[in-house]
């Protein structure tokens, strides 16, 4: 195991942990405001549970390396998530902005997990492969769901706005 590879892997795990903290905060704020979109709310709440499991898996990977998450990164990403949620909440088309942002964020998470998986062997952390692959599959399913539902969410928003205008 290369020290450089291990260091890069640990940094990636810490970054992924902070990323999932940000995702959790975003979904918690969003789910509070999705009563008009029950399908989206249910999916966000389900993925929130997955995210909590992803955090647990990342913590296990860090523990296996004798490391821990970065409090600074976690706190910063939590604050960023709350600011993003506030910014979107002020917009009349909040559901659309959240849908677009969530689509981008899910793909960001997919790339992060693929990067970690690429490092497992070089870092001597082959035991991290299975939990990271599980998280990757969850992110891919969520990204696919968002992509498949952009039109549905957009039209539901349109109907909501038409009812408000009537």
């Amino acid at each position: 195991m290369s020290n450089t590879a291990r260091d890069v892997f640990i940094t990636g795990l810490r970054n992924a942990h902070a990323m999932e903290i940000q995702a959790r905060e975003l979904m918690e704020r969003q789910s509070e405001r999705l009563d008009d979109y029950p399908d989206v709310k249910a999916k966000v709440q389900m993925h929130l549970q997955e995210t909590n499991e992803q955090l647990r898996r990342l913590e296990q990977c860090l523990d296996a390396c004798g490391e821990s998450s970065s409090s600074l990164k976690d706190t910063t990403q939590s604050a960023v998530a709350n600011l993003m949620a506030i910014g979107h909440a002020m917009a009349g088309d909040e559901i659309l902005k959240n849908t677009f942002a969530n689509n981008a964020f899910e793909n960001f998470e997919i790339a992060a997990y693929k990067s970690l998986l690429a490092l497992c062997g070089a870092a001597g952390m082959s035991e991290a492969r299975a939990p990271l692959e599980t998280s990757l599959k969850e992110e891919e399913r969520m990204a696919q769901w968002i992509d498949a539902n952009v039109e549905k969410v957009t039209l539901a928003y349109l109907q909501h706005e038409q009812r408000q205008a009537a």
Side-chain angles (χ1 to χ4, degrees):
M1 161 175 52
S2 148
N3 282 339
T4 302
R6 182 184 183 282
D7 292 346
V8 171
F9 184 69
I10 290 167
T11 298
L13 289 172
R14 286 181 176 143
N15 289 342
H17 192 273
M19 167 188 77
E20 294 298 356
I21 292 286
Q22 181 179 5
R24 183 181 66 194
E25 292 293 322
L26 280 170
M27 287 184 284
E28 285 175 351
R29 299 298 77 75
Q30 288 176 11
S31 67
E32 295 165 356
R33 302 178 52 79
L34 285 170
D35 291 337
D36 291 332
Y37 306 92
D39 292 348
V40 177
K41 184 173 185 163
K43 190 65 174 178
V44 166
Q45 288 176 332
M46 189 252 344
H47 194 55
L48 180 56
Q49 292 172 358
E50 290 176 337
T51 298
N52 286 325
E53 284 301 306
Q54 292 164 3
L55 282 163
R56 184 187 59 75
R57 285 183 212 117
L58 289 165
E59 289 162 5
Q60 288 175 335
C61 291
L62 283 162
D63 286 345
C65 294
E67 301 288 338
S68 62
S69 61
S70 167
S71 297
L72 177 61
K73 287 181 182 184
D74 289 352
T75 301
T76 301
Q77 292 305 96
S78 176
V80 167
N82 282 300
L83 288 172
M84 288 173 61
I86 289 168
H88 288 183
M90 289 191 249
D93 60 349
E94 175 184 12
I95 186 68
L96 296 181
K97 285 185 174 45
N98 285 342
T99 299
F100 307 156
N102 291 347
N103 187 43
F105 200 82
E106 290 303 323
N107 283 285
F108 181 89
E109 290 174 305
I110 289 166
Y113 282 112
K114 285 181 177 180
S115 177
L116 286 168
L117 285 162
L119 292 167
C120 282
M125 290 300 299
S126 58
E127 66 272 18
R129 182 167 295 286
L132 294 172
E133 285 175 344
T134 299
S135 295
L136 173 61
K137 287 180 178 120
E138 291 167 350
E139 298 301 354
E140 288 172 335
R141 280 194 304 270
M142 186 62 175
Q144 290 167 354
W145 186 89
I146 293 169
D147 185 60
N149 283 277
V150 169
E151 183 178 346
K152 181 180 176 182
V153 169
T154 301
L155 295 176
Y157 169 71
L158 176 61
Q159 288 176 343
H160 180 267
E161 289 301 295
Q162 288 171 334
R163 282 193 303 273
Q164 298 289 52

